[in-house]
Amino acid sequence: MSLIFPFRGVRPAPDYVEKVACPPYDVIDSNTAKEYVKTNPVSFLNIIKPEIHKSDSDENNYKTAQEYYINYKNKNILQQDKTACFYLYRQIMGNHKQTGIVTVSSVEAYLTGRIKKHEHTQPEKVNDRVNLMETLKAQTGPVFIAYKNNAETKAVLKKAEQLPPEYDFEQNGVRHIFTVISDQVLINEILNVFNQQKNMYIADGHHRSEAACKCYQKAGQHSNYNENYGRFLTVLFDSEELLILPYNRIVKDLNGLTTAEFLQKLEEHFIIRQSDETVCPKKAKTFGLYLDKSWYILEAGTKEALDVTILQNHVLSPLLGIHDPRNDKRISFAGGINSEQKLVELVDSGEYQAAFSLYPTQMHEVIEIADAGEVMPPKSTWFEPEITQRTCNTRTGIKRCKKHII
């Protein structure tokens, strides 16, 4: 079974790329997105966040996104490549660099577990992406996938890096370098190298993966179904290059406990020390707690593998009554660079009562969990930099449509 395939991309004309490029749909709220498109009317947010075009029904919102998509193509803001290509995508953030291959990957490989997942999905979020894909006949957000490198993958990427880039720009502190790979010899080398991967791993994009799967399964029920529908938009990154930052927790209240009672109960599982400085854990099984304008260091003695699991099983669920962090309104999450300062601001504002800073989950842990067929608690990983969205693959859908990428 082939894992990946080249495809005809629909992507911005060079003069528009910096205006079209935008953050992923799920890291920017609707109000912020609305304000953003007022000053940048060709932002891809018009397409990937249809709720910013509020109307009488969700269906109309998706139709509005479709109108923007068609308009962008008619005005040559977005243009389709004439031949099937791969795309090299390099990101540079300070001293951190990572290089990915933009491709379409096999839905069958996802269904059979060769492309592995590590998170549960929420049906309403999956349905939102399904509705957008089916309306646009396009996939508008790539799935972030990690693979284990070897000498062959390194060598073929080095060849691709010698090609002149199509785009090279900086946005929000990250430099984005995007290269079109149209040479058939190099395409065949990439196919040969990556199709030999035993497994690949979803780092981010579980809802988009599941949505593509749903569309594929729907398409299979129709007589015009063909195998070209069974692919979804992905960016493949070397697992050793990826940077995972902390994904911290903030809670509304202490579930009726006083500060003294809460700290006393924590002592059953943690060694607690007060800190004069912001606690940004530097090793596993160490946590920061910000409470009543004070920082505490919590050191866990449990043998459980993941820090997010330790916090969930010994604090959030038994002490604070937060059994389903995915849906409980009493907990929020803050991740990324300098997110500990955000914790302080939210607690000091009175909106939240306590916050926990965590040591980031490591990529080898993600792979181990996925290989074991297990799942992580929600919001376990924050990958930085994010994949800027300016490309998409026309969806493998119910109606016949050509393959392409925005």
Side-chain angles (χ1 to χ4, degrees):
M1 178 195 303
S2 294
L3 273 174
I4 66 169
F5 308 86
F7 64 102
R8 295 176 60 203
V10 176
R11 52 188 179 80
D15 289 345
Y16 285 99
V17 64
E18 293 185 57
K19 293 181 178 180
V20 171
C22 70
Y25 78 99
D26 53 354
V27 301
I28 183 171
D29 63 65
S30 297
N31 290 331
T32 303
K34 285 181 183 178
E35 293 302 314
Y36 189 88
V37 299
K38 286 180 182 178
T39 57
N40 182 13
V42 299
S43 170
F44 205 46
L45 289 170
N46 285 308
I47 296 170
I48 61 173
K49 286 192 76 71
E51 66 270 22
I52 69 175
H53 307 294
K54 277 295 182 185
S55 56
D56 294 336
S57 72
D58 288 341
E59 180 181 358
N60 287 335
N61 290 330
Y62 299 118
K63 290 291 186 183
T64 302
Q66 182 188 48
E67 290 169 5
Y68 272 96
Y69 176 44
I70 293 171
N71 185 48
Y72 284 16
K73 290 192 291 183
N74 288 340
K75 291 184 175 181
N76 290 320
I77 296 171
L78 299 175
Q79 302 172 337
Q80 184 174 13
D81 287 314
K82 297 186 183 303
T83 60
C85 305
F86 287 121
Y87 305 86
L88 191 74
Y89 179 28
R90 287 172 281 176
Q91 296 175 298
I92 303 173
M93 183 182 70
N95 294 324
H96 177 76
K97 300 178 182 180
Q98 58 191 43
T99 300
I101 287 285
V102 184
T103 178
V104 288
S105 296
S106 166
V107 172
E108 285 291 345
Y110 170 78
L111 289 170
T112 58
R114 192 175 171 193
I115 297 176
K116 295 180 178 293
K117 54 189 176 180
H118 66 265
E119 286 185 7
H120 290 308
T121 55
Q122 294 176 274
E124 66 275 14
K125 291 185 178 181
V126 172
N127 290 336
D128 170 63
R129 293 299 98 181
V130 168
N131 290 336
L132 186 62
M133 288 181 189
E134 291 186 334
T135 304
L136 297 181
K137 305 297 183 290
Q139 295 177 20
T140 57
V143 176
F144 191 155
I145 287 184
Y147 66 89
K148 296 179 180 179
N149 70 36
N150 53 43
E152 289 76 17
T153 57
K154 290 181 178 179
V156 76
L157 289 183
K158 196 167 187 64
K159 286 185 181 180
E161 287 176 2
Q162 306 309 310
L163 299 173
E166 184 79 2
Y167 316 129
D168 187 344
F169 67 99
E170 186 168 321
Q171 190 176 76
N172 299 324
V174 180
R175 183 180 172 192
H176 303 275
I177 307 170
F178 191 86
T179 302
V180 179
I181 304 171
S182 57
D183 177 74
Q184 192 59 52
V185 173
L186 186 51
I187 286 174
N188 289 340
E189 287 185 46
I190 292 170
L191 281 169
N192 181 58
V193 166
F194 282 91
N195 281 331
Q196 291 181 38
Q197 288 281 320
K198 180 180 179 181
N199 295 306
M200 296 195 297
Y201 303 86
I202 297 173
D204 189 32
H206 287 80
H207 289 91
R208 296 188 289 279
S209 303
E210 192 66 19
C213 176
K214 295 284 186 187
C215 290
Y216 170 69
Q217 291 170 329
K218 281 186 178 183
Q221 299 171 9
H222 293 71
S223 59
N224 64 357
Y225 164 77
N226 67 65
E227 64 180 8
N228 290 327
Y229 289 138
R231 300 169 188 178
F232 64 110
L233 183 64
T234 54
V235 186
L236 317 180
F237 284 100
D238 176 352
S239 62
E240 293 183 1
E241 289 187 350
L242 298 181
L243 176 64
I244 306 180
L245 297 181
Y247 217 151
N248 302 316
R249 274 72 171 138
I250 321 104
V251 295
K252 291 280 188 181
D253 58 71
L254 298 182
N255 199 29
L257 299 172
T258 65
T259 295
E261 290 170 337
F262 182 57
L263 291 172
Q264 184 177 11
K265 288 183 177 293
L266 286 176
E267 288 179 342
E268 297 177 14
H269 296 284
F270 301 89
I271 298 171
I272 304 176
R273 304 193 315 273
Q274 197 160 355
S275 174
D276 295 329
E277 300 177 343
T278 300
V279 180
C280 306
K282 303 300 183 187
K283 61 180 182 178
K285 296 181 173 52
T286 302
F287 305 82
L289 165 64
Y290 186 69
L291 177 63
D292 287 346
K293 296 188 180 296
S294 295
W295 276 101
Y296 299 86
I297 300 171
L298 312 181
E299 294 184 6
T302 178
K303 293 183 179 180
E304 286 167 291
L306 296 176
D307 284 18
V308 286
T309 302
I310 293 171
L311 189 67
Q312 180 62 41
N313 290 347
H314 297 289
V315 181
L316 298 180
S317 183
L319 302 185
L320 300 181
I322 299 172
H323 306 295
D324 181 10
R326 192 181 298 277
N327 297 304
D328 198 309
K329 303 298 184 184
R330 295 170 53 231
I331 186 170
S332 295
F333 305 85
I337 299 170
N338 297 325
S339 57
E340 291 81 11
Q341 183 56 42
K342 185 66 174 177
L343 304 184
V344 173
E345 293 172 4
L346 289 170
V347 173
D348 286 352
S349 73
E351 184 179 358
Y352 293 84
Q353 191 169 351
F356 300 89
S357 58
L358 286 79
Y359 182 71
T361 302
Q362 302 300 294
M363 193 62 217
H364 72 85
E365 295 175 318
V366 175
I367 291 174
E368 288 167 4
I369 291 289
D371 280 341
E374 299 174 354
V375 295
M376 293 182 172
K379 310 294 185 183
S380 292
T381 53
W382 179 286
F383 289 91
E384 194 78 35
E386 297 276 1
I387 300 175
T388 294
Q389 296 198 353
R390 63 179 173 279
T391 54
C392 88
N393 160 48
T394 60
R395 181 189 60 74
T396 57
I398 295 175
K399 296 182 179 178
R400 289 189 183 275
C401 58
K402 298 178 182 179
K403 278 283 181 197
H404 47 153
I405 177 170
I406 288 184

